[in-house]
Amino acid sequence: MQGPLVPVAAHSEDYTRVKGWFQMKWCPGKGSTPSVQAIFKVTSCKIDQNFQLRLAQVSKRSGWYFHGTSVRCNLLHTRHACQDTQCAVCNISRSGFDMSRVQTNIEFQRFGAGIYLAPNSSKCHDYTQGQHGVRAMLFCQVAEGQKYPTTRGDETLSKPPHGFDSVYGKKGFELNYDEIVVYRSDSVRPEYVVVYDKDGDQKIAT
């Protein structure tokens, strides 16, 4: 049976598109653009079905964003998702995001307990933790719906303000980069895993 991660051929349109977006969205101020080592397609009927239901609820308004996370396995070597419960990229690829874990690894969350993503891959790099010399980042479709724009944080949030489906932090005042936050696991469909080489294994942000 096919697992949740399927290698994308290096010369395919999908690979070129996702790699290009990852590199284009890397800000110059964050150092040299990383070398992409592999891209995997996430395949999960359950995640897809839940996402489509949520997307219909928010008038089909969606966007594409990155999410930095940790990898514990040697994904480049095995070429498939592992069973380690601490390997976030494999667990998210298999089961989707888990709202019960949103505050387990990052102490400060500017917009409360939610799932954080950003249009810039370089921002999300700060929230990755690598293994075997590489890191992994998710490229996701987000059912963003009606976005609540703000430049000021609110750590008490557990859902968007009334009448909105997501919170969109805009660069300026408190934020150096744009970011989006959703508060439901079915609002995010992880589509690709980008495995890349930069900064070794250490955790960066806390």
Side-chain angles (χ1 to χ4, degrees):
M1 182 174 65
Q2 180 174 279
L5 291 178
V6 178
V8 178
H11 299 293
S12 66
E13 288 186 15
D14 270 8
Y15 191 99
T16 301
R17 176 174 58 87
V18 175
K19 177 183 177 181
W21 197 253
F22 174 85
Q23 294 179 331
M24 182 177 66
K25 291 296 183 176
W26 190 274
C27 296
K30 298 291 284 188
S32 60
T33 305
S35 173
V36 174
Q37 301 296 310
I39 296 174
F40 295 83
K41 172 74 171 149
V42 180
T43 59
S44 169
C45 291
K46 181 178 179 181
I47 295 175
D48 288 349
Q49 290 168 0
N50 291 340
F51 178 79
Q52 291 299 332
L53 290 173
R54 179 57 181 160
L55 192 59
Q57 294 171 354
V58 298
S59 304
K60 301 287 186 178
R61 295 174 180 170
S62 69
W64 289 87
Y65 301 91
F66 294 97
H67 176 81
T69 190
S70 64
V71 59
R72 292 284 296 270
C73 64
N74 193 351
L75 191 54
L76 278 181
H77 176 71
T78 63
R79 312 292 286 179
H80 61 76
C82 72
Q83 300 296 323
D84 186 343
T85 58
Q86 299 303 310
C87 185
V89 71
C90 289
N91 281 279
I92 293 171
S93 298
R94 181 178 295 105
S95 304
F97 284 85
D98 182 354
M99 288 300 299
S100 70
R101 297 180 61 87
V102 296
Q103 287 184 309
T104 56
N105 294 316
I106 302 297
E107 297 172 5
F108 173 66
Q109 295 191 310
R110 191 181 303 276
F111 300 107
I115 301 167
Y116 287 67
L117 307 98
N120 294 108
S121 52
S122 51
K123 173 180 172 58
C124 295
H125 172 68
D126 289 348
Y127 300 91
T128 62
Q129 185 169 3
Q131 189 77 293
H132 301 288
V134 297
R135 295 175 183 262
M137 192 178 296
L138 291 158
F139 190 39
C140 307
Q141 187 178 10
V142 178
E144 58 191 6
Q146 188 69 28
K147 297 183 289 187
Y148 175 76
T150 181
T151 58
R152 296 177 181 271
D154 183 352
E155 295 178 59
T156 68
L157 288 174
S158 59
K159 60 182 179 181
H162 179 71
F164 295 90
D165 305 298
S166 59
V167 172
Y168 194 90
K170 297 178 69 67
K171 178 181 178 181
F173 193 67
E174 293 184 7
L175 282 80
N176 294 320
Y177 302 94
D178 287 7
E179 61 185 8
I180 190 168
V181 188
V182 292
Y183 301 85
R184 297 173 50 138
S185 59
D186 58 359
S187 291
V188 185
R189 176 169 64 182
E191 287 275 358
Y192 297 94
V193 173
V194 180
V195 181
Y196 64 100
D197 181 2
K198 188 173 179 65
D199 295 336
D201 298 346
Q202 79 275 15
K203 186 175 182 180
I204 299 175
T206 57

